[in-house]
């Protein structure tokens, strides 16, 4: 089913897209992420008290941390009020991810403000994808820093960029997506002439952000086409599908995704060879487990 596109909304050319992107604000948090990650890696060797000291300097991070720990450990008789205690409960890895996510979300919010969209559920989709991308990649390759997490976090950045650069197109696309439940990529190509994956990649390229983020944004709906970082890209595809199939958060893509589709995703072929059937079963089982824990974590984060 295709609905009528209002007269004033026309496809835009690549040139118009480029000129809009030239004016797009950068996300300072993404630019500084590499440095932040390095500081955080050093942080791991420090004591809880010192980690707490760093967190305390940032009020929005402090608030988010306490909210997170209290929602994850919902059963605690006394709510956690001190940062030291929160660090103890959550562990350094969770803290690192939280430190990365906080400024990114705040920047994202500034970029998206003008459009009507379930943004809170969208951040949940992004953070959930980040968590699962990291989980999937670390099951098939030795764990690195948090770069995969960040790549997952920004996989759908093209939607934000679209909301900022082409708000009328964005509104029409999402009106149709909700109404028809057709695949979002198709609708975006029909109405704007470009989908969010390509738009996001162009944006990240323009702002000279790391290649892993660019490849993840560009190929997360077709990881078999990625020529680099293909495992991270494949993990982001699977993560995105799993969250959509479980209806966790909102990606703005309302086309139904079944569990079977997740398990048959093209990304699995990128991650594991046909002979690694056993590994696949193990990874999928551990993912199901992780998925159950995600909604509560997300409640605490955004
Ligand atoms: Fe996407
Ligand atoms: Fe997504």
């Amino acid at each position: 089913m295709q609905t009528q596109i209002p007269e004033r909304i026309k496809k835009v050319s690549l040139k118009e897209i480029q000129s809009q992107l030239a004016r797009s604000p950068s996300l300072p948090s993404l630019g500084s992420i590499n440095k932040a990650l390095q500081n955080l890696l050093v942080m791991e060797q420090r004591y809880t008290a010192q980690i707490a000291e760093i967190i305390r300097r940032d009020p929005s991070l402090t608030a988010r941390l306490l909210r997170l720990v209290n929602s994850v450990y919902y059963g605690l008789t006394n709510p956690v009020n001190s940062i030291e205690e929160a660090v103890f409960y959550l562990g350094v890895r969770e803290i690192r991810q939280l430190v990365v996510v906080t400024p990114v979300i705040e920047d994202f919010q500034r970029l998206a403000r003008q459009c009507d969209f379930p943004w809170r559920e969208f951040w949940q989709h992004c953070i959930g994808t980040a968590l699962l991308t990291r989980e999937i990649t670390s099951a098939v390759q030795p764990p690195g820093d948090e770069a995969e997490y960040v790549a997952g976090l920004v996989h759908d950045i093209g939607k934000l960029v679209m909301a900022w650069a082409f708000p009328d197109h964005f509104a029409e696309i999402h009106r149709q997506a909700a109404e028809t439940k057709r695949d979002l990529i198709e609708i975006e190509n029909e109405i704007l002439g470009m989908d969010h994956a390509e738009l996001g990649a162009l944006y990240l390229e323009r702002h000279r952000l790391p290649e892993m983020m660019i490849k993840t944004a560009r190929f997360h709906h077709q990881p078999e086409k990625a020529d680099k970082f293909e495992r991270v890209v494949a993990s982001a595809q699977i993560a995105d599908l799993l969250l959509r199939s479980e209806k966790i958060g909102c990606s703005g893509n309302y086309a139904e995704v079944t569990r079977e589709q997740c398990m048959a995703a093209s990304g699995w072929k990128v991650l594991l060879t046909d002979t690694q059937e056993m590994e696949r079963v193990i990874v999928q089982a551990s993912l199901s487990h992780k998925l159950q824990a995600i909604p509560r974590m997300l409640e605490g984060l955004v």
Side-chain angles (χ1 to χ4, degrees), residues 210-257:
E211 220 186 340
M212 189 193 280
M213 292 187 203
I214 299 171
K215 298 283 181 204
T216 307
R218 179 166 282 135
F219 296 113
H220 70 274
H221 289 285
Q222 38 186 358
E224 62 285 2
K225 294 202 176 151
D227 51 353
K228 225 172 154 187
F229 303 111
E230 53 278 15
R231 287 180 153 183
V232 180
V233 180
S235 305
Q237 178 212 30
I238 295 165
D240 172 86
L241 289 171
L242 281 168
L243 290 163
R244 283 170 51 200
S245 79
E246 291 294 309
K247 304 208 167 27
I248 300 172
C250 174
S251 74
N253 193 346
Y254 303 96
E256 191 78 29
V257 177

Side-chain angles (χ1 to χ4, degrees), residues 267-299:
W268 288 110
K269 283 205 168 61
V270 176
L271 289 175
L272 300 164
T273 61
D274 289 338
T275 54
Q276 292 176 297
E277 191 48 39
M278 198 58 212
E279 282 86 343
R280 184 205 284 231
V281 173
I282 295 169
V283 176
Q284 289 178 348
S286 92
L287 282 176
S288 297
H289 188 70
K290 183 84 188 177
L291 260 178
Q292 288 169 9
I294 283 185
R296 180 157 282 166
M297 279 197 82
L298 293 176
E299 274 307 309

Side-chain angles (χ1 to χ4, degrees), residues 64-262:
R64 201 163 264 154
L65 174 68
L66 293 175
R67 207 148 28 101
L68 176 66
V69 72
N70 285 309
S71 64
V72 173
Y73 296 95
Y74 183 65
L76 293 176
T77 18
N78 299 314
V80 172
N81 289 314
S82 89
I83 300 170
E84 281 83 357
E85 230 183 322
V87 173
F88 170 80
Y89 274 115
L90 287 177
V92 173
R93 187 173 145 191
E94 257 70 23
I95 301 283
R96 260 164 42 186
Q97 294 177 343
L98 184 71
V99 173
V100 169
V101 93
T102 302
V104 176
I105 295 284
E106 280 163 8
D107 269 0
F108 275 13
Q109 256 151 355
R110 274 191 283 275
L111 191 62
R113 207 160 28 193
Q114 54 184 320
C115 263
D116 184 30
F117 188 70
W119 290 115
R120 181 168 180 263
E121 289 72 20
F122 177 71
W123 316 135
Q124 294 184 333
H125 171 75
C126 297
I127 300 170
T129 305
L131 287 166
L132 284 185
T133 300
R134 171 73 211 252
E135 197 69 21
I136 301 168
T137 40
S138 60
V140 295
Q141 65 186 30
D145 53 23
E146 305 295 326
E148 301 94 0
Y149 179 87
V150 180
L153 189 63
V154 302
H155 77 290
D156 268 342
I157 195 165
K159 291 173 189 167
L160 269 173
V161 176
M162 205 184 288
W164 180 84
F166 303 102
D168 292 343
H169 291 77
F170 181 85
E172 177 60 19
I173 286 166
H174 288 280
R175 188 187 67 75
Q176 286 206 21
E179 196 179 298
T180 64
K181 313 250 183 317
R182 286 165 61 219
D183 190 64
L184 184 64
I185 297 273
E186 258 175 52
I187 305 175
E188 289 173 334
N189 280 314
E190 271 168 26
I191 295 180
L192 183 72
M194 184 178 277
D195 60 44
H196 69 273
E198 184 58 24
L199 188 63
L202 290 178
Y203 171 86
L204 294 168
E205 269 168 358
R206 176 161 294 269
H207 291 288
R208 298 181 199 289
L209 287 156
E211 220 186 340
M212 189 193 280
M213 292 187 203
I214 299 171
K215 298 283 181 204
T216 307
R218 179 166 282 135
F219 296 113
H220 70 274
H221 289 285
Q222 38 186 358
E224 62 285 2
K225 294 202 176 151
D227 51 353
K228 225 172 154 187
F229 303 111
E230 53 278 15
R231 287 180 153 183
V232 180
V233 180
S235 305
Q237 178 212 30
I238 295 165
D240 172 86
L241 289 171
L242 281 168
L243 290 163
R244 283 170 51 200
S245 79
E246 291 294 309
K247 304 208 167 27
I248 300 172
C250 174
S251 74
N253 193 346
Y254 303 96
E256 191 78 29
V257 177
T258 64
R259 227 7 176 15
E260 291 67 42
Q261 282 169 309
C262 298

